[in-house]
Amino acid sequence: MESAVLIFVLPMLMFILLGIGGKYMTHRTAGRLGTLGLTVITVLAYVTAYRYFGAGRSGGVWLPQTVFHLEWLRFTENLQIELGILLDPISVMMLVVITTVSLMVHIYSLGYMKGERGFQRYYAFLSLFTFSMLGLVVATNIFQMYIFWELVGVSSYLLIGFYYTKPAAIAASKKAFIVTRFADLGFLIGILLLSFYTQTFNFTELMSGNVCASASGATFLGGSVIAWALGLIFVGGAGKSAMFPLHIWLPDAMEGPTPVSALIHAATMVVAGVYLVARLFPLYIEAAPELLVGIAIVGAFTSLYAAVVACVQTDIKRVLAFSTISQIGFMMVALGVSGMGGHAGLGYVAGMFHLFTHAMFKALLFLCAGAIIHTIGSNEMSAMGGLRKYMPVTHITFLVACLAISGIPPFSGFFSKDEILTAAFLFSPWMGVLMSGIAGLTAFYMFRLYYNIFWGAEAKREHTPHEAPVSMTAPLLFLAFVTCFAGFIPFGNFVSSDGVEYTIHLDGKVALSSVGLACVAIGIAFRFYRQASALPAKMATAFGGFYRAALHRFYIDNLYLFITKRIIFAGISQGIAWFDRHVIDGAMNPIIISGTQKIISEPSKFLRVKITCIKASLAYKPTKIPAITPSKRRAGKLPSMFFINVTLFLDKIFYYILK
């Protein structure tokens, strides 16, 4: 498994090489070098996956393997921070997902970003992000995960704000950074609580069950401390995965280049929260099963909210952004309603399966959107229409992705979403009905997007649209191929809650009802948007205030602005500033002024002392500092001589400044 170490190291080397030497390279050289490096990393990831799963189970389960281990910091006999690489089914699966999507983005960007200022910097940032995300998923302990978690936040800030001359991009990058940092504070506090009471950071030890038993007696406000710690950890995951109410950064993050949206906001960064819950899932089951119910409720509400907002957005990237939030909600629901092992663990399998399939078809949707924006020059659907005649490859691949996310067989999204709905019905009929309804909304807003782009009336354009170059269409075809056939992967044979093989069986009733509902939703979208119609305007008028509220995201962003600007900045912060200026400074200023006046009133004494020091420094001739030897260091001579010379040197500088 030595290849796993190279997977981890190579992206960092590419970042250093492109970051330092990129300015001496041409755009073509930097792009090809970055793409070649990622190609090697992707091949190594697939080799690692083949070797890990090819080795077979031990005792009927997939055993975790630590292929690299280094002790970094030791706090106590039992508590230390280690750096390492952990391979288990979900980390190996994430290696494949991250490297595959990142490679497609690298290839795609050769055409999409051609001629852009900062092309070399762009590829350096892509390498840094890939390194950060890979380090997050292979972490052997939760503190190592937190280190790379923050590095993912930094690299996403750089990529979102790539167009740093645009005020909107600057604002979006700061918004994403601040909101996720706020959530990460909860993550950090949760880690500290968990490690204090369990005396370990290591994932393997945390999952053993012994640590929870030792910390079970500690409570706070009627709940176990471990449950509080896991709740705070989930806050960090909710921020990264844009769960309500910490979702506000994701739609604005669309200001970054579209390939960045495909990489960060479709396949990798936004699923970090889902991965975190999945990584700690045995701990959640043992120590805080009621918290999983809360996660399911948050996920369901987030999914419903985002789906409703997506139904009325006009910017195609924002539609896809809210679609991502909704689908992440599906994954959270799947984990929240899951049990441990066997059929009870169906939700876990379904959530991870949906993470895998969603990464492929959502990356495909964003890359198709990038191709459309590249030729149209606008994100608004009003500037599109009738593009199927001009962009046949983009049209077909976009349709494949729409069918997949809508849950239409035989595309991959059908299989993973159907299992989530089945798990939801097993948990509660009401949860199953709710998630089925949201799945229907998904089909409606995705085909609303499809018909507005590729059908309908053509908008007036200054030039004739054209198909994207091969560097952009090749990744579309590859991802469309994966989307068509990924659903037939026996995913439960590789990933399950307890490591034991689980064979996925489709529930006929759930499958028929979900597909039927999706077809009805597609039919409504067909009636409303295939051709120019007055029906959408009539519906907007009929729903009036609700439609306007959904269009403005139910004013959640406005609420945040009110709280931050009017309450925190204008109220609390200004009050603190007044107290500091008039009370603290008001008390200290007379003392400082009095001391200053005393010095000024006795200049002769002050100057005499200073002149004496200056004369001594000018008369002194510093000798050559002797060589550092162990004997002199032990005798304590060398430090004293060194500091004397430094002091006299600084005094000479002061003399020349006065002079």
Side-chain angles (χ1 to χ4, degrees):
M1 297 293 180
E2 296 80 7
S3 57
V5 180
L6 292 175
I7 295 171
F8 184 68
V9 172
L10 281 178
M12 188 61 189
L13 294 178
M14 295 304 302
F15 166 68
I16 296 172
L17 179 61
L18 292 171
I20 297 176
K23 62 180 180 180
Y24 304 108
M25 303 177 187
T26 63
H27 287 195
R28 178 178 294 182
T29 302
R32 289 182 175 179
L33 185 61
T35 304
L36 178 62
L38 215 287
T39 302
V40 174
I41 295 166
T42 305
V43 171
L44 291 174
Y46 278 84
V47 170
T48 300
Y50 176 79
R51 289 180 177 176
Y52 178 81
F53 290 116
R57 293 180 174 83
S58 178
V61 299
W62 299 109
L63 295 179
Q65 299 180 21
T66 303
V67 298
F68 175 78
H69 178 268
L70 174 68
E71 185 177 302
W72 183 27
L73 293 173
R74 176 172 287 276
F75 298 107
T76 67
E77 183 179 351
N78 298 321
L79 187 62
Q80 64 273 342
I81 298 177
E82 301 169 341
L83 299 177
I85 296 176
L86 175 67
L87 297 181
D88 68 351
I90 60 171
S91 66
V92 172
M93 181 268 292
M94 289 298 296
L95 286 180
V96 172
V97 170
I98 294 168
T99 54
T100 300
V101 176
S102 184
L103 177 59
M104 295 300 106
V105 168
H106 275 71
I107 297 172
Y108 184 90
S109 298
L110 293 173
Y112 187 88
M113 299 296 291
K114 185 178 181 180
E116 289 278 2
R117 182 181 178 185
F119 188 87
Q120 300 93 327
R121 173 168 53 90
Y122 171 81
Y123 270 88
F125 290 166
L126 283 183
S127 297
L128 177 62
F129 178 83
T130 304
F131 165 75
S132 307
M133 199 65 208
L134 291 172
L136 189 155
V137 300
V138 300
T140 60
N141 60 85
I142 195 168
F143 201 89
Q144 180 186 346
M145 176 183 279
Y146 178 75
I147 294 172
F148 286 96
W149 188 278
E150 295 299 321
L151 195 55
V152 166
V154 172
S155 53
S156 66
Y157 168 81
L158 296 172
L159 286 168
I160 295 169
F162 177 77
Y163 298 122
Y164 59 87
T165 56
K166 294 173 57 180
I170 297 172
S173 61
K174 291 191 294 184
K175 188 176 185 179
F177 190 80
I178 293 170
V179 172
T180 53
R181 293 295 72 71
F182 178 78
D184 293 348
L185 177 62
F187 188 15
L188 179 60
I189 296 173
I191 291 173
L192 296 177
L193 278 175
L194 186 65
S195 62
F196 180 81
Y197 284 96
T198 62
Q199 288 295 294
T200 185
F201 291 114
N202 192 277
F203 284 129
T204 304
E205 295 177 5
L206 286 172
M207 305 308 148
S208 64
N210 300 326
V211 294
C212 290
S214 62
S216 59
T219 59
F220 179 72
L221 295 179
S224 89
V225 172
I226 301 297
W228 279 101
L230 291 174
L232 289 168
I233 289 172
F234 172 70
V235 170
K240 260 305 188 280
S241 291
M243 293 287 98
F244 186 92
L246 300 172
H247 67 283
I248 59 171
W249 66 270
L250 185 62
D252 290 346
M254 297 300 110
E255 292 295 336
T258 304
V260 170
S261 302
L263 179 63
I264 296 179
H265 310 125
T268 53
M269 177 179 167
V270 290
V271 300
V274 179
Y275 178 81
L276 175 63
V277 176
R279 170 59 70 196
L280 296 174
F281 185 76
L283 194 59
Y284 276 98
I285 283 288
E286 181 180 356
E290 67 282 354
L291 194 58
L292 284 176
V293 178
I295 291 174
I297 294 172
V298 171
F301 182 82
T302 301
S303 188
L304 176 62
Y305 164 83
V308 171
V309 174
C311 288
V312 299
Q313 298 299 303
T314 59
D315 185 313
I316 63 173
K317 289 180 69 175
R318 291 189 182 274
V319 173
L320 296 179
F322 281 102
S323 171
T324 298
I325 297 173
S326 184
Q327 296 303 303
I328 297 296
F330 268 88
M331 301 174 204
M332 287 293 190
V333 168
L335 293 174
V337 302
S338 180
M340 178 62 77
H343 195 55
L346 172 62
Y348 183 94
V349 177
M352 293 295 98
F353 194 17
H354 198 58
L355 188 156
F356 177 83
T357 61
H358 174 264
M360 303 302 168
F361 61 68
K362 184 54 63 70
L364 175 58
L365 285 168
F366 269 106
L367 295 184
C368 287
I372 296 164
I373 296 168
H374 189 264
T375 189
I376 296 297
S378 174
N379 293 18
E380 291 293 325
M381 285 188 281
S382 58
M384 303 169 191
L387 291 181
R388 69 188 187 282
K389 298 182 293 184
Y390 307 103
M391 307 178 71
V393 176
T394 305
H395 169 230
I396 295 299
T397 53
F398 193 91
L399 178 59
V400 168
C402 286
L403 290 169
I405 195 173
S406 300
I408 303 298
F411 303 99
S412 60
F414 162 74
F415 296 92
S416 57
K417 188 172 288 187
D418 181 77
E419 296 306 311
I420 293 177
L421 296 179
T422 301
F425 274 108
L426 289 174
F427 176 77
S428 167
W430 288 107
M431 182 66 77
V433 171
L434 174 62
M435 299 312 296
S436 296
I438 299 170
L441 281 178
T442 302
F444 171 77
Y445 67 67
M446 286 308 306
F447 275 86
R448 169 181 175 265
L449 183 64
Y450 166 75
Y451 286 121
N452 275 319
I453 295 173
F454 295 102
W455 296 80
E458 293 188 30
K460 294 182 179 180
R461 307 183 181 100
E462 295 181 359
H463 62 274
T464 303
H466 56 85
E467 188 61 88
V470 176
S471 60
M472 295 172 63
T473 55
L476 303 185
L477 292 170
F478 175 82
L479 290 171
F481 176 82
V482 175
T483 300
C484 289
F485 298 101
F488 298 99
I489 297 174
F491 196 81
N493 294 354
F494 304 104
V495 177
S496 63
S497 57
D498 57 356
V500 179
E501 180 179 351
Y502 176 78
T503 303
I504 296 176
H505 298 285
L506 293 175
D507 188 310
K509 293 181 180 179
V510 175
L512 286 173
S513 61
S514 64
V515 172
L517 191 60
C519 290
V520 171
I522 294 171
I524 295 172
F526 177 88
R527 178 69 178 86
F528 276 43
Y529 302 105
R530 185 179 181 275
Q531 296 178 345
S533 172
L535 287 175
K538 290 181 179 179
M539 292 297 295
T541 304
F543 283 94
F546 184 81
Y547 178 89
R548 288 190 297 273
L551 188 62
H552 293 90
R553 315 177 197 177
F554 293 98
Y555 306 102
I556 302 297
D557 290 68
N558 304 74
L559 178 62
Y560 270 98
L561 287 174
F562 176 80
I563 293 173
T564 54
K565 290 188 174 183
R566 298 293 181 86
I567 298 178
I568 297 177
F569 296 156
I572 300 174
S573 297
Q574 286 190 2
I576 295 173
W578 182 92
F579 182 84
D580 178 68
R581 187 165 51 252
H582 292 89
V583 178
I584 305 297
D585 290 349
M588 296 301 296
N589 285 342
I591 300 173
I592 296 171
I593 293 171
S594 174
T596 305
Q597 290 175 344
K598 186 176 180 180
I599 292 174
I600 295 172
S601 66
E602 302 179 9
S604 60
K605 182 180 179 181
F606 174 76
L607 290 176
R608 281 198 304 271
V609 173
K610 193 63 205 169
I611 289 170
T612 303
C613 295
I614 291 171
K615 286 181 178 180
S617 66
L618 291 173
Y620 176 76
K621 296 181 180 179
T623 58
K624 184 178 180 181
I625 298 176
I628 299 174
T629 61
S631 60
K632 290 179 179 178
R633 187 183 291 111
R634 285 194 297 271
K637 296 179 179 180
L638 196 64
S640 61
M641 294 169 62
F642 175 75
F643 285 115
I644 288 172
N645 285 329
V646 170
T647 303
L648 293 172
F649 177 72
L650 293 175
D651 205 44
K652 287 183 180 181
I653 294 176
F654 186 72
Y655 166 73
Y656 287 114
I657 293 173
L658 289 178
K659 187 177 178 182

